[in-house]
């Protein structure tokens, strides 16, 4: 449910923007530019960093890099202006799962925070009464946040490849049917939950039914077309419940939500790892600990959001079916037949909340790099009984979210950073999510800056030797004048000290 803005706010969001900018200026934002141009004629067109993805991670990373003195940053997004990220597309929940106090992309600047934004728009009492942040308000806040930092996003931009070009990275894009190539020193992939693969529809469904008979819940769904239909949903997470609600609100005749587990999870283990120690130093844990934590999260999962669960259970034509795996799906003349251990279910349309398949090769932007990055299955051998083929397909990232090349000679690979679901094993189950930004973004930024600094190692000493700064405002001949005056003073004891001449 949307919260209506108060009628006469004493402070506007533009006022808040100016207050945030004043805070940033008081804290030294932005840092002075420190990265010199490359010695080549097209240096002005080369980005210090290209960020693929203009959602919550993309704009936060861009802001942090600007704060640390990078001036040439480009942010690319495939969505339309205002539709970056999932918030106005396939995210269909009413409110965020993240507790409102665990949002951390404001860099400890109060006037940049979601709390101050929400209070400015709706009043302090509205924030006090709020249990979770409404989804559409979160997106509106992100748009305001990007405006504060003057982050320009190139929209309708599909990234087709990320590949080496000499000492740089070439990012090939398609914008409005036009193919372009942009050069960058580093690339950050802020491509969200499916950044390590693609949304997965089980083959036993996709091979048995015509494409118009099913949808993945994390893609476009024509809910109006479901009016009067019997809908079957497979899955037990947030997406399953949210899409079931939307289908019934659109007029579906019935929705049966089926899942394999005998019981819904009661506890959300993500809350247990949202500590400063774990979120900041997670990649310093041993490989075994990180692998086993990933296995634990795979086995226990998390419950659906309370609000989504309660809303669905109140709907008249909603039926929850625990311990109901789908064994077979077939298209019959008048229905989709789903075979379960308890018998046959019949539907007119299916919604699959079946998550993501880990497969770097299906990502267009990884066309060149996907088989050049080290994977967990190639770098780590679990103890007996702890194997997991899905986890083995995740990339083995360095301590700063950078890809590690399989071949040490492919050094360009380490200039590409995966701040997305690729980090699940290396950096924890949700380091790149909203509650992880406070701890994870600084680590990612340190990695980018580290890479840029190491690239310049050969020129650091020559630049230091040629550095000139008029810190002491005296003339170049000051010492000569002093020496002359001292000689005169020595030969004429009564002569006073010469007047000092200050330089320009």
């Amino acid at each position: 449910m949307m919260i209506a803005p108060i009628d006469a706010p004493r402070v506007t969001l533009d006022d808040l923007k100016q207050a945030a900018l004043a805070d940033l200026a008081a804290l030294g934002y932005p840092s002075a530019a420190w990265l010199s141009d490359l010695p080549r004629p097209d240096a002005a067109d080369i980005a210090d960093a290209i960020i693929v993805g203009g959602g919550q991670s993309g704009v936060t990373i861009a802001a942090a890099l600007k704060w640390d003195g990078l001036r040439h940053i480009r942010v690319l997004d495939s969505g339309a202006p205002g539709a970056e990220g999932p918030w106005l597309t396939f995210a269909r929940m009413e409110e965020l799962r993240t507790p409102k106090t665990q949002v951390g992309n404001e860099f400890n600047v109060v006037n940049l925070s979601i709390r101050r934004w929400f209070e400015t728009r709706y009043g302090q009492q509205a924030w006090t009464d709020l249990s979770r942040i409404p989804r559409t308000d979160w997106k509106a806040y992100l748009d305001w946040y990007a405006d504060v930092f003057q982050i320009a996003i190139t929209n309708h931009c599909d990234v087709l490849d990320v590949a080496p070009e000499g000492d740089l990275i070439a990012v090939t894009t398609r914008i409005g049917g036009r193919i372009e190539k942009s050069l960058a020193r580093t690339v950050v992939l802020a491509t969200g939950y499916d950044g390590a693969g693609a949304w997965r529809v089980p083959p036993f469904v996709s091979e048995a039914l015509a494409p118009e008979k099913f949808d993945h819940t994390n893609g476009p769904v024509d809910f109006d077309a479901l009016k009067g239909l019997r809908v079957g949903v497979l899955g037990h997470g947030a997406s399953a419940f949210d899409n079931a609600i939307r289908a019934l609100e659109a007029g579906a005749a019935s929705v049966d939500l089926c899942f394999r587990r005998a019981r819904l999870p009661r506890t959300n283990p993500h809350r247990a790892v949202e500590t400063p120690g774990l979120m900041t130093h997670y990649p310093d844990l041993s490989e075994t600990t990180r692998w086993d934590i990933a296995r634990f999260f795979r086995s226990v999962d998390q419950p659906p959001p309370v609000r989504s669960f309660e809303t669905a259970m109140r709907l008249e034509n909603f039926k929850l079916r625990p311990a109901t795996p789908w064994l077979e799906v077939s298209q019959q003349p008048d229905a989709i037949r789903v075979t379960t251990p308890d018998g046959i279910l019949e539907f007119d349309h299916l919604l699959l909340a079946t998550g993501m398949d880990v497969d770097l090769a299906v990502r267009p932007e990884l066309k060149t790099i996907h088989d050049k990055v080290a994977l967990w299955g190639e770098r780590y051998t679990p103890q007996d009984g702890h194997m997991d083929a899905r986890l083995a397909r995740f990339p083995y990232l360095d301590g700063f979210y950078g890809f590690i090349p399989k071949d040490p000679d492919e050094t360009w690979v380490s200039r590409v950073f995966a701040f997305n679901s690729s980090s699940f094993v290396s950096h924890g189950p949700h380091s790149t999510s909203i509650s992880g930004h406070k701890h994870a973004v600084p680590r990612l930024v340190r990695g980018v800056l580290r890479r840029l600094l190491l690239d310049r190692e050969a020129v650091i000493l020559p630049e230091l030797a040629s550095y000139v700064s008029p810190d002491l405002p005296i003339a170049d001949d000051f010492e000569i004048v002093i020496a002359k005056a001292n000689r005169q003073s020595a030969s004429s004891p009564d002569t006073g000290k010469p007047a000092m001449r200050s330089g320009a």
Side-chain angles (χ1 to χ4, degrees):
M1 180 179 67
M2 288 295 296
I3 301 174
I6 58 179
D7 294 334
R10 290 175 294 176
V11 178
T12 67
L13 290 177
D14 188 63
D15 293 332
L16 183 62
K17 172 184 174 181
Q18 299 309 315
L21 289 171
D23 289 343
L24 291 171
L27 294 172
Y29 169 85
S31 298
W34 57 274
L35 197 61
S36 57
D37 288 339
L38 295 170
R40 45 188 290 168
D42 60 346
D45 298 324
I46 298 172
D48 300 332
I50 287 179
I51 301 171
V52 181
Q56 61 190 22
S57 293
V59 297
T60 305
I61 292 166
L65 291 175
K66 290 185 70 172
W67 195 319
D68 280 347
L70 297 193
R71 293 292 176 267
H72 305 295
I73 301 169
R74 294 189 63 195
V75 181
L76 314 179
D77 196 272
S78 60
E84 302 87 1
W87 310 111
L88 302 182
T89 53
F90 64 80
R92 298 177 177 116
M93 66 285 202
E94 291 187 45
E95 58 188 19
L96 304 186
R97 180 192 291 266
T98 305
K100 66 180 183 180
T101 57
Q102 291 184 353
V103 176
N105 61 339
E106 73 282 348
F107 309 120
N108 291 327
V109 177
V110 173
N111 283 321
L112 271 177
S113 67
I114 179 62
R115 173 172 181 169
R116 189 65 81 238
W117 181 93
F118 198 90
E119 290 177 339
T120 299
R121 190 173 187 191
Y122 301 115
Q124 293 182 354
Q125 188 59 46
W127 176 263
T128 300
D129 296 339
L130 190 69
S131 58
R132 293 285 197 275
I133 300 164
R135 167 178 53 87
T136 52
D137 279 318
W138 176 245
K139 174 54 178 168
Y141 162 73
L142 291 175
D143 292 342
W144 174 86
Y145 181 96
D147 181 54
V148 170
F149 285 100
Q150 295 183 313
I151 297 170
I153 299 175
T154 302
N155 292 97
H156 300 297
C157 179
D158 296 315
V159 176
L160 306 180
D161 198 16
V162 172
E165 184 153 318
D167 293 334
L168 299 171
I169 305 295
V171 178
T172 303
T173 59
R174 179 176 56 233
I175 304 176
R178 185 176 69 256
I179 304 297
E180 297 181 352
K181 182 187 293 184
S182 300
L183 298 179
R185 305 190 201 206
T186 59
V187 172
V188 178
L189 304 175
T191 43
Y193 187 82
D194 60 330
W199 303 119
R200 177 178 60 88
V201 172
F204 76 88
V205 175
S206 59
E207 294 172 2
L209 303 180
E212 66 272 14
K213 292 295 184 178
F214 63 89
D215 295 292
H216 195 287
T217 55
N218 288 92
V221 177
D222 184 359
F223 286 99
D224 290 337
L226 303 183
K227 185 175 182 179
L229 301 186
R230 298 165 297 174
V231 177
V233 179
L234 181 61
H236 75 272
S239 182
F241 280 85
D242 292 336
N243 279 262
I245 293 168
R246 284 289 302 274
L248 286 169
E249 290 176 342
S254 63
V255 170
D256 289 33
L257 192 151
C258 309
F259 52 94
R260 182 183 302 274
R261 296 171 183 265
R263 286 166 48 89
L264 286 171
R266 271 41 170 194
T267 298
N268 186 351
H270 286 83
R271 301 288 88 89
V273 299
E274 290 172 336
T275 67
L278 272 172
M279 298 294 277
T280 302
H281 299 290
Y282 193 93
D284 299 319
L285 297 171
S286 69
E287 292 175 323
T288 298
T289 297
R290 287 183 286 165
W291 179 268
D292 287 343
I293 290 175
R295 290 183 64 247
F296 173 81
F297 275 88
R298 283 259 289 147
S299 65
V300 302
D301 211 338
Q302 57 183 327
V306 173
R307 185 166 180 173
S308 297
F309 173 79
E310 292 178 345
T311 298
M313 294 302 293
R314 285 196 300 266
L315 295 175
E316 182 179 356
N317 296 319
F318 175 80
K319 181 172 288 187
L320 193 67
R321 293 183 179 272
T324 309
W326 291 2
L327 306 178
E328 184 181 3
V329 171
S330 63
Q331 179 66 65
Q332 302 301 315
D334 57 348
I336 299 168
R337 179 173 295 175
V338 175
T339 303
T340 78
D342 293 328
I344 302 296
L345 299 175
E346 292 190 342
F347 303 112
D348 303 306
H349 195 86
L350 304 183
L351 296 177
L352 291 308
T354 45
M356 181 198 69
D357 189 30
V358 180
D359 185 358
L360 301 183
V362 304
R363 299 292 306 186
E365 70 273 14
L366 302 182
K367 180 174 65 174
T368 295
I369 199 175
H370 75 87
D371 59 351
K372 301 182 184 301
V373 304
L375 304 179
W376 267 85
E378 300 163 343
R379 302 267 303 214
Y380 174 71
T381 302
Q383 57 185 305
D384 290 344
H386 288 203
M387 299 294 292
D388 189 307
R390 185 175 190 271
L391 297 182
R393 295 196 295 271
F394 278 96
Y396 190 107
L397 303 181
D398 68 19
F400 304 99
Y401 293 89
F403 284 129
I404 296 175
K406 290 182 182 179
D407 182 348
D409 292 334
E410 298 268 14
T411 57
W412 70 275
V413 170
S414 64
R415 298 174 184 273
V416 183
F417 298 80
F419 198 81
N420 54 29
S421 60
S422 296
S423 66
F424 180 79
V425 185
S426 299
H427 286 263
H430 66 159
S431 69
T432 62
S433 63
I434 295 172
S435 56
H437 280 162
K438 180 178 182 179
H439 311 281
V441 169
R443 178 179 286 274
L444 177 277
V445 170
R446 288 198 302 274
V448 173
L449 268 57
R450 173 181 175 273
R451 179 70 268 159
L452 294 173
L453 176 66
L454 293 179
D455 288 345
R456 302 182 64 256
E457 187 168 2
V459 302
I460 291 176
L461 189 59
E463 286 185 354
L464 183 61
S466 63
Y467 177 76
V468 176
S469 174
D471 294 331
L472 185 61
I474 58 177
D476 288 344
D477 62 349
F478 174 76
E479 290 80 6
I480 296 174
V481 172
I482 287 290
K484 181 178 179 181
N486 289 341
R487 288 194 299 271
Q488 291 174 348
S489 175
S491 60
S492 304
D494 295 334
T495 302
K497 293 182 179 179
M500 292 186 180
R501 294 187 300 139
S502 62

